[in-house]
Amino acid sequence: MYANKKYLTIAWILVLPALLIRGFTTIYPIFETFRISFYDIKILRGINEFVGFENYVKIFHDPKLLDAINFTAIFVVGSMIGHILLGVILALILNMKFGGQKILRTIVLLPWALPMVVVAIASKWAFNNDYGLINDFVRRFNPSFHMDWLINTDTARFAVIAVDLWKDLPFFAILVLASLQFISSDVYEAAKVDGAGSIRSFFKITLPLISKNLFVLSIFFTMWRITSFDVVYAMTAGGPGNSTDLIAYRITTEAFTNLNTGYSAAMAVTLFVVMAILSGISLYGSKKVDY
């Protein structure tokens, strides 16, 4: 018994430095962000005043933040619809038996392996009207085609969503593919004997059996979309105007461009609460959605 306590003490001594570093770099910033969210801090003007919930009230009256919330909702819904529909289709294709299957699965993952900043910068050039890859391809069929993708609001939003979808869709599909691999082929053989075709088998067997994993994946990918920052930062910088502002990008702009630290902290805390609620929904929903 004494030896066990001795080993346990030694273990804690060895782990303690890592715990202290982790606590300082994770827990302390969270509490500090929460604290300064109640202050009006303007670094250049030397202002550091306690204002209570004034920063939180300002959130509901900030037109730029409301625009960011609006586009974030469009971005999340549009991107997730694409992830679910195209991700399932791509997973079904990758689950088929054919030559070169492993090579194709590797190639499909390449976009996901690239850093988002690199993809966003390359996409910024690709969507250029004069010498971009997208317009060059379209002009091979329609020489008079002209489109300033990142200058018009609607097309800029579409471009941001399309790039995000292209980047993370392969990873989503691979995770769905992992769910498909757990479905026994005997189930499909039995359905085939009963006269069920491919479409009916998909809706009666495949979709119900992967629905729980699909639901959990959708929640986590939705959370990642809400906190997306780099695609807008590198591709559009929130433009044209504020039409492609995402919430995380607006928080960063307030903190590091406008140096409005207290207000940006209040927005960050609010986003943290939203993410915590979504995490709770994910845990609750994963228990309820089952077949």
Side-chain angles (χ1 to χ4, degrees), residues 38-64:
F38 294 101
Y39 285 80
D40 179 19
I41 302 175
K42 292 182 174 61
I43 299 175
L44 295 181
R45 296 169 58 185
I47 297 175
N48 189 349
E49 300 176 351
F50 179 79
V51 292
F53 288 94
E54 185 177 314
N55 287 326
Y56 291 93
V57 174
K58 184 181 177 181
I59 290 175
F60 300 97
H61 304 284
D62 184 354
K64 291 184 178 180

Side-chain angles (χ1 to χ4, degrees), residues 33 55 250-252 254-256 260-269:
T33 300
N55 287 326
R250 173 47 46 190
I251 293 173
T252 305
E254 286 292 338
F256 298 104
N260 196 352
T261 311
Y263 180 50
S264 63
M267 290 191 289
V269 171

Side-chain angles (χ1 to χ4, degrees), residues 124-241:
K124 183 178 181 179
W125 291 100
F127 280 103
N128 184 278
N129 174 64
D130 297 322
Y131 41 79
L133 178 67
I134 307 298
N135 283 5
D136 177 70
F137 176 78
V138 176
R139 284 174 184 146
R140 295 179 185 274
F141 304 94
N142 181 10
S144 62
F145 180 80
H146 176 89
M147 178 65 71
D148 290 312
W149 292 92
L150 302 183
I151 294 178
N152 300 316
T153 296
D154 293 335
T155 54
R157 289 179 168 183
F158 169 80
V160 170
I161 294 172
V163 170
D164 175 78
L165 184 60
W166 181 84
K167 169 73 169 62
D168 280 346
L169 176 64
F171 185 52
F172 187 91
I174 291 296
L175 294 177
V176 175
L177 174 63
S179 301
L180 293 174
Q181 304 254 305
F182 280 98
I183 303 176
S184 174
S185 59
D186 295 337
V187 179
Y188 292 107
E189 291 295 332
K192 189 175 181 180
V193 171
D194 291 338
S198 300
I199 296 178
R200 188 174 182 184
S201 295
F202 172 75
F203 286 102
K204 295 296 183 179
I205 299 174
T206 306
L207 194 57
L209 290 177
I210 68 171
S211 60
K212 181 177 180 177
N213 289 337
L214 199 59
F215 175 80
V216 174
L217 284 176
S218 298
I219 291 293
F220 280 109
F221 271 74
T222 296
M223 293 167 66
W224 291 338
R225 303 279 83 70
I226 292 175
T227 56
S228 291
F229 159 79
D230 39 10
V231 60
V232 168
Y233 174 78
M235 188 174 175
T236 64

